Amino acid sequence: MTLTALSGKEPSYPLVVDLDGTLIATDLLIESFFSYLGRSPAGLPFLALSLFRGRAYLKDVLASRTQVDAATLPYHQSVLALIDEARAQGRPVYLATASNERFAHAISAHLGLFDGLFASNTRHNLAASNKAKVLLEVFGDKGFDYVGNHRDDLAIWRHANRCHAIGLDARSSRTLNTFSDVDIIEKPRQTIKIWRKALRVHQYAKNVLVFMPALAAHDFSIHTFVQTSIAFAAFCAAASAIYLLNDLADLGDDRQHPSKKKRPLASGALSVHAALMAIPLLALFALIACLFLPWMFSLTLAGYVALTTGYSFWLKRKMLGDVVGLALLYTARLLGGATATGIVLSEWLLAFSLFVFTSLALIKRYTELLVRLDGNLPESSSRAYRKDDLFILAAVAAACGTNAVTVFSLYISSSAVREIYTRPYVLWLLPPILLFLLARSLMVAHRRQMNDDPVIWALRDRTSLIAVGISALIVLTAI
């Protein structure tokens, strides 16, 4: 515990403000934990050993190995307004937090609103009853107003002159309302719209790839459709769980990005605690879906989860390894559709998917670098690319796209096509369309007219949708 006093005279009833979940819409212990793991996954055993020495020691270890950018944290404006009101009345304001003193001092220095602070250090964890004891020693019973957000703060509110609560759960609110002089501050609810953004529901379009093996094999039976639909749901649930995990690991970097800072977790619209509860629930849903499918699908989904988790915590920081990893994740969806239905996946389709999705992944990285270049942003701490890599990325993306078209053209010439299609020569209309789509994606990205995901952009781009529609008609004509 640390107390820093910055003013000599203290009027009655100073305002004491909690940090995690109160002043800021996040939890610095959780943030620092995932930030550390995101950069040093092998350090998990070290953190486990640190926990044996107590939560205070673990917080100190994490705070010494991670940084918090106080300027980009999501602050609750209603609490800042309460602080401004107290200062206008000449009342001293203190920060009292269970977070480590390094983080507390950084935030206090940035805001410049506090007359002193209380925080955890290596030996003392200033949480719940420990915080209540310290505040009683300093201010006395009923000698301070307190702003908190958690049921653990009830131990402090019992001794506060006035109780301010933000985002408190219903049961704790009922208990708090039995105290005298209570002020309940409402905060924005976590709506369905916010959850849709956090779970990246719009990214579910990528999982449509699980239907490709059935379409390529011209298997339109009800059984195949049901099996593939279950596989689709399993991939969606698994992907959303990993998206949440990835966002937790990238919070600091996302808050410095012009568009990613608006994501629910980075902006504070969704609490990190809610995200942590949602991850195992999504995983459970995916596991239940696997029970209705062949065991090979379970292995495929497990491989997908392992690869995407490895991507989130390690591979995405490896130059070019990340784009190959993304291409393999797309290919895993194709394998998932095949293993869910028992359809043998064509080697041509596997080769094509590897090249085309590597090209799209490179365009994604190219777009991200353009955003940083145009916005004069610093180099990303979660990517292995520099701004001067732009031309190389564009060249490799074009090469991979060309190879994808070449593989597709060779596939049309193969005997496998003549066995499936009655008019295979009609399919020769497809390579020019594919070449047009891939080249146009790169050109649009170069002109800064694309968001950071070319697949999602293509699903919203009118020209791309028309081209895909024409391609579908060509395939139907060839059947």
Side-chain angles (χ1 to χ4, degrees):
M1 183 274 296
T2 299
L3 169 61
T4 304
L6 303 179
S7 64
K9 187 177 179 180
E10 297 184 359
S12 299
Y13 306 132
L15 181 67
V16 181
V17 182
D18 178 45
L19 179 60
D20 297 312
T22 302
L23 178 61
I24 57 176
T26 187
D27 188 306
L28 294 180
L29 174 60
I30 295 174
E31 281 205 21
S32 57
F33 174 80
F34 282 99
S35 176
Y36 177 79
L37 280 189
R39 288 158 178 77
S40 305
L44 183 58
F46 170 67
L47 294 182
L49 291 175
S50 299
L51 184 58
F52 280 111
R53 299 182 63 175
R55 288 174 65 90
Y57 184 78
L58 174 63
K59 291 177 181 180
D60 189 73
V61 167
L62 289 170
S64 65
R65 287 163 172 78
T66 58
Q67 294 182 341
V68 57
D69 185 354
T72 61
L73 287 173
Y75 293 93
H76 280 135
Q77 295 303 314
S78 54
V79 176
L80 289 176
L82 197 64
I83 293 173
D84 289 338
E85 181 184 348
R87 288 173 59 83
Q89 296 170 353
R91 299 164 56 198
V93 182
Y94 293 89
L95 181 66
T97 175
S99 288
N100 186 265
E101 58 189 357
R102 290 183 178 88
F103 292 154
H105 279 290
I107 292 169
S108 177
H110 168 69
L111 293 177
L113 299 175
F114 300 106
D115 298 280
L117 65 85
F118 307 83
S120 299
N121 59 21
T122 310
R123 294 174 298 171
H124 298 95
N125 182 33
L126 199 72
S129 59
N130 290 337
K131 186 191 293 188
K133 180 180 179 181
V134 169
L135 295 180
L136 277 172
E137 291 176 354
V138 176
F139 302 114
D141 190 36
K142 305 298 181 181
F144 61 96
D145 294 352
Y146 182 74
V147 192
N149 75 296
H150 195 267
R151 61 178 176 272
D152 289 346
D153 291 321
L154 289 170
I156 303 169
W157 279 317
R158 294 181 189 279
H159 303 284
N161 172 69
R162 189 175 189 195
C163 310
H164 301 275
I166 179 171
L168 193 62
D169 65 89
R171 182 176 179 180
S172 299
S173 293
R174 288 193 294 270
T175 302
L176 182 62
N177 281 323
T178 62
F179 300 171
S180 59
D181 206 352
V182 174
D183 172 33
I184 303 294
I185 305 172
E186 295 293 333
K187 70 175 184 178
R189 297 183 178 226
Q190 296 172 356
T191 62
I192 293 177
K193 183 178 180 180
I194 291 173
W195 274 107
R196 283 181 59 193
K197 289 183 178 179
L199 299 178
R200 314 271 185 90
V201 172
H202 64 285
Q203 298 279 9
Y204 289 176
K206 298 177 181 179
N207 297 326
V208 173
L209 287 171
V210 299
F211 290 92
M212 280 300 299
L215 292 175
H218 298 173
D219 186 346
F220 305 114
S221 66
I222 296 297
H223 178 264
T224 297
F225 176 77
V226 171
Q227 294 292 93
T228 308
S229 297
I230 296 173
F232 173 81
F235 267 97
C236 289
S240 287
I242 300 301
Y243 283 137
L244 290 175
L245 192 62
N246 183 68
D247 284 352
L248 286 171
D250 279 350
L251 281 173
D253 203 47
D254 285 351
R255 290 188 183 123
Q256 296 178 356
H257 193 276
S259 60
K260 294 181 180 179
K261 67 181 180 182
K262 299 176 183 178
R263 289 177 174 175
L265 281 171
S267 66
L270 181 69
S271 74
V272 292
H273 297 280
L276 284 178
M277 288 190 293
I279 290 173
L281 291 176
L282 289 165
L284 179 61
F285 179 88
L287 183 62
I288 293 174
C290 288
L291 299 178
F292 297 92
L293 298 172
W295 65 271
M296 279 296 294
F297 174 81
S298 299
L299 290 181
T300 303
L301 187 63
Y304 170 83
V305 170
L307 179 58
T308 193
T309 303
Y311 172 84
S312 297
F313 287 97
W314 177 71
L315 193 58
K316 71 179 180 182
R317 293 180 175 83
K318 302 301 177 182
M319 184 177 62
L320 297 180
D322 60 334
V323 295
V324 175
L326 283 175
L328 290 176
L329 288 174
Y330 282 109
T331 305
R333 294 173 170 95
L334 295 174
L335 289 172
T339 54
T341 57
I343 295 173
V344 178
L345 201 60
S346 166
E347 294 89 345
W348 291 106
L349 184 57
L350 286 173
F352 171 77
S353 68
L354 181 62
F355 281 117
V356 73
F357 291 124
T358 298
S359 177
L360 293 175
L362 286 163
I363 294 175
K364 179 182 173 74
R365 292 290 173 262
Y366 180 78
T367 304
E368 290 174 349
L369 284 181
L370 283 177
V371 171
R372 291 193 171 273
L373 180 66
D374 295 343
N376 197 27
L377 299 175
E379 303 288 2
S380 174
S381 61
S382 62
R383 295 287 185 264
Y385 302 100
R386 301 190 299 265
K387 296 171 189 175
D388 55 3
D389 292 331
L390 274 170
F391 297 109
I392 297 297
L393 288 177
V396 180
C400 288
T402 303
N403 284 341
V405 176
T406 301
V407 169
F408 188 76
S409 300
L410 292 173
Y411 166 67
I412 294 175
S413 305
S414 69
S415 58
V417 168
R418 290 191 291 271
E419 294 175 0
I420 299 176
Y421 294 89
T422 58
R423 291 178 288 274
Y425 55 86
V426 177
L427 296 177
W428 280 105
L429 295 172
L430 293 177
I433 297 177
L434 179 60
L435 188 60
F436 165 78
L437 287 173
L438 292 173
R440 183 172 180 272
S441 297
L442 187 55
M443 287 295 295
V444 170
H446 178 70
R447 293 181 178 183
R448 280 74 166 173
Q449 297 172 350
M450 181 185 291
N451 58 27
D452 59 0
D453 194 317
V455 175
I456 301 303
W457 167 83
L459 293 173
R460 297 170 178 170
D461 177 59
R462 181 180 178 183
T463 302
S464 298
L465 292 175
I466 291 174
V468 171
I470 294 173
S471 299
L473 290 175
I474 291 172
V475 172
L476 290 174
T477 304
I479 294 176

